[in-house]
Amino acid sequence: MKTAEIAQRYLDYFEKNGHTIVPSASLVTDDPALLFTVAGMVPFIPYLSGDVPAPYPRAADVQKCLRTLDIEEVGHTPRHGTFFQMLGNWSFGDYFKEGAIRFAWGLLTSPEEDGGLGFDPADLWVTVYEEDDEAHDLWLRLTDLPEERIQRLGKDTNYWSTGLPGPAGPCSEIFFDRGPAYGIDGGPATDDDRYVEIWNLVFMQYEITNVRSKYDFDIVGELPHKNIDTGMGLERVAFIKQGVDNMYETDQVRPVLDKAVELSGRSYGAVHEDDVRFRVVADHVRSSLMLLSDGVAPSNDGRGYILRRLMRRAIRSMRLLGVEGPTFRELFAASRDAMATAYPIVATDYARIEQYALAEEATFLRTLAAGEAILDASLLQTKDAGGTSIDGAEAFLLHDTYGFPIDLTLEIAEEAGLTVDRAAFDELMLEQRTRAKADARSRKRQLADTSVYRDFRALGETVFTGYTDLETESTVLGLLVEGHPAQSAVTGQVAEVILAETALYAESGGQVADKGVIVGPGYELEVLDVQRPVPGLVSHTVEVVSGEVGVGQPATTVVDAVNRRAAQQAHSATHLIHAALRDTLGSSATQAGSLNRAGYMRFDFTWGQALSDATKTEIEEIANNAVRDNLEVTTRVLPIDEAKALGAQALFGEKYGDVVRMVDIGGPWSRELCGGTHVGRSSEVGLVSVVGESSVGASNRRVEALVGLDAFRSLAAERAIVSQLTSSLKTPREQLPARIAELAANLKAAEKKIAALEAKEIAQQGPALADAAERLGAYRVVAADIGTASSGDDVRTLALQVRDRLGSDAGVVALAARVGERPVVIVATTEAARAAGAKAGALAKVAARALGGGGGGRDDVAQGGGADPAAVPAALTAVRSELGAA
């Protein structure tokens, strides 16, 4: 049974049983405490917690999920994957334990010809929470399971909570027995790979508080509305139904594994280490494909860092399988073909996905080449010094700063006959993980608890009137002061105000929040921010300027009209720039993010190379031509499928409901899904002046522009600068570029001439310096401060000349100079000096320490530097002392 068929059977079964079928949410979640949708319940959290009334009493879905907490387990176990799909059925105050058990058992054990999954009841085991007698008795009454195949387990396995105050409850898990070939008898309590958990039924019935850990808390009482949250792992069911040993061999994953086998020339099933690498490649390529399809782009932080890590682990695994060249073109195509039936977007959007994948692979292959060069130098230096182990801090630097995997460091070091101080490396990694976990815990504590808004949201959605009105009368529904409900707020206090209606725009879709005031009888509030803390609810952060505001009082929201108009201009200009980019570069230049505020817009888009000056000019001209043409701006609210059929552009990673707002500028020329505010006609945008274009990732570019009066002021300032230059240089405006280029060339030539004279002057010091060599023990030493130099190369040249003049003596030359504002020391040694034990690299480090910097190099010539020019005498004294002691 194919994976997609299992999913469809699941949805068909629950639809027949009165459930609303809900499409999968994006892997990118709105929850600020999470980077990704890590479980099937994440999109339903507002409904399960009661923060937002559920739009349906019962639902079912197939939810895309991504977890990297157990990333090191991928490939080693039959069921650990980073991307997975969770089949879920949900009840929001509708059916409870009996219904959940009936539905689960019915689907699992019904014959395939009747639409079920056809599991033999004799292969199934169940666990329940040890104190949940109700669930235990229901399993006995509703199914033909014998008592001995219903096991009671503790809180650590059969009790669900988020680890935060709120809903919680016992759970019941269903396991499949793979048979004695996979482990010992004894049921799920043996915690053995023989028993695979396929379905978890969570009975969300309690409210908890005083949470001391995930399994240590106080139960306040029962929830007013008990919920059902279930999750069945699609990949786990698939590998059982398909008769394979693990999820990596199922129909949606195996094609990538097979392609990796083909590209590597190695066999699957022959060597355990290779099998793990093949499975890592198959899992990580699929996960990367799905993240890219949901609009995540590789980067150095947040979600983008996780994606980059997955892609680089896949590249690393292919390299350990003996493939050093690029493979993503073939691997991603194989994953696309395997996943397209379930997720058509991976095929329709594949050009963009592949562009990111190939760019990231090329970047990392260059990183590997650079890292190998650094590692090779470290290996050589370690061997020359008689060492046997690479410093753990250096291995960590390669891993953390250059992205060079520790596995490759270990492998290359082993080939060179050296080891790596793995203990020191692991200690540094542990410190880094500890910091990251502390940051994540802090973020979770600060941002995750939205229960304070639950009662406000229960009163209904906040009505936004700002599309048509800049003032709206309303009522204060609630107040929060320092995060806690309050009845009033007085002058000087900062509070959150919840209103029934508002004309103030809450930050979203790239458009910043409105500025303005809220006024009422005897009070005035300055609006500091407007946000949507939970779906459907608007919160106004305000400072009480005067008076006292209280719950239940009348309130009028007043939008700053000048700021709103400028923000509208910027937002509409963003749409113009997007359309101009697509006109110029083609449909693959799609939106990857934006920011719009009064007078300024920033637009990120998918593109792999810098735009030429001519292209930037063309884009700017197309946008301003649209302004000139006074195009009509219209908005329509319509079903999302109809909007997409009309060609509306959607922002990748953005979540849209069944009904959307579509903004047209000039009809289909610019047609986007957008909830922001806009001008009435394109001429109202005013001037659009592109002021910047830059890279924001391997395949992302950013265009920045000033809009309206801000654009005019910027151009006026540039005009004033041009006027000053024409006057100062006595050159017509059109000849300024050539005149400035001429002056720059003359300056460069003069600098070059000065540098040559300085180099000649420095070189002339050679004979005198050699004649002044002092005797320190076995060495003739020249340690001198030569003043200033144009470059370190001039100092190096002089040091080598002086060394040559010392002939066959055991000579050491240490010359210091100031290059710009920084001190430089060059150390050179003769062959006889090296034979006597003087190493230039070691001496350069000694000098550099005195200068407050670092240094090193070969035994015959090396360089050091620092930040303190006043320490040059001390650096030279340190070299003398080192040689004298020797």
Side-chain angles (χ1 to χ4, degrees), residues 135-351:
H136 174 271
D137 295 344
L138 283 169
W139 277 112
L140 282 177
R141 179 166 64 84
L142 299 174
T143 74
D144 51 4
L145 275 171
E147 173 83 36
E148 61 269 20
R149 280 198 276 125
I150 304 173
Q151 295 186 325
R152 294 177 182 260
L153 299 178
K155 271 187 180 178
D156 58 335
T157 58
N158 278 69
Y159 207 97
W160 176 88
S161 79
T162 63
L164 293 170
C171 60
S172 180
E173 298 178 333
I174 305 172
F175 290 78
F176 176 80
D177 180 3
R178 304 172 78 196
Y182 292 92
I184 62 174
D185 196 3
T190 62
D191 193 26
D192 191 88
D193 278 345
R194 170 174 169 173
Y195 301 93
V196 178
E197 178 206 332
I198 55 175
W199 206 336
N200 186 11
L201 314 180
V202 175
F203 309 130
M204 207 174 291
Q205 64 185 110
Y206 298 114
E207 182 91 21
I208 62 171
T209 186
N210 297 329
V211 179
R212 294 168 289 277
S213 75
K214 194 166 184 180
Y215 309 112
D216 184 15
F217 43 76
D218 297 333
I219 296 177
V220 178
E222 291 203 344
L223 292 169
H225 300 291
K226 298 175 183 178
N227 301 321
I228 287 294
D229 157 12
T230 85
M232 181 162 69
L234 179 55
E235 281 76 12
R236 296 187 183 190
V237 176
F239 84 70
I240 292 168
K241 294 300 293 180
Q242 292 173 21
V244 295
D245 282 343
N246 53 65
M247 62 164 287
Y248 314 103
E249 297 175 14
T250 60
D251 61 299
Q252 287 187 345
V253 189
R254 181 65 187 247
V256 185
L257 190 153
D258 289 339
K259 181 59 67 174
V261 167
E262 177 188 327
L263 293 171
S264 69
R266 299 190 185 183
S267 299
Y268 181 62
V271 179
H272 173 71
E273 290 78 9
D274 284 353
D275 289 352
V276 171
R277 291 162 186 159
F278 283 128
R279 293 193 284 260
V280 167
V281 170
D283 172 84
H284 287 9
V285 166
R286 182 172 79 139
S287 298
S288 300
L289 175 85
M290 299 309 297
L291 282 170
L292 286 164
S293 74
D294 271 357
V296 181
S299 68
N300 286 328
D301 54 27
R303 299 181 179 95
Y305 175 75
I306 300 298
L307 172 58
R308 173 161 284 167
R309 185 184 180 201
L310 290 169
M311 297 171 83
R312 293 187 169 191
R313 278 173 59 91
I315 296 168
R316 178 195 69 190
S317 295
M318 287 302 294
R319 188 183 179 95
L320 293 174
L321 287 165
V323 184
E324 296 193 1
T327 59
F328 273 7
R329 188 178 299 279
E330 294 86 353
L331 293 173
F332 271 78
S335 190
R336 172 201 62 198
D337 295 343
M339 297 300 294
T341 300
Y343 302 99
I345 190 173
V346 301
T348 57
D349 195 37
Y350 189 68

Side-chain angles (χ1 to χ4, degrees), residues 109-126:
T109 60
S110 293
E112 291 184 12
E113 56 269 25
D114 294 338
L117 294 178
F119 280 92
D120 185 343
D123 293 329
L124 301 178
W125 289 65
V126 165

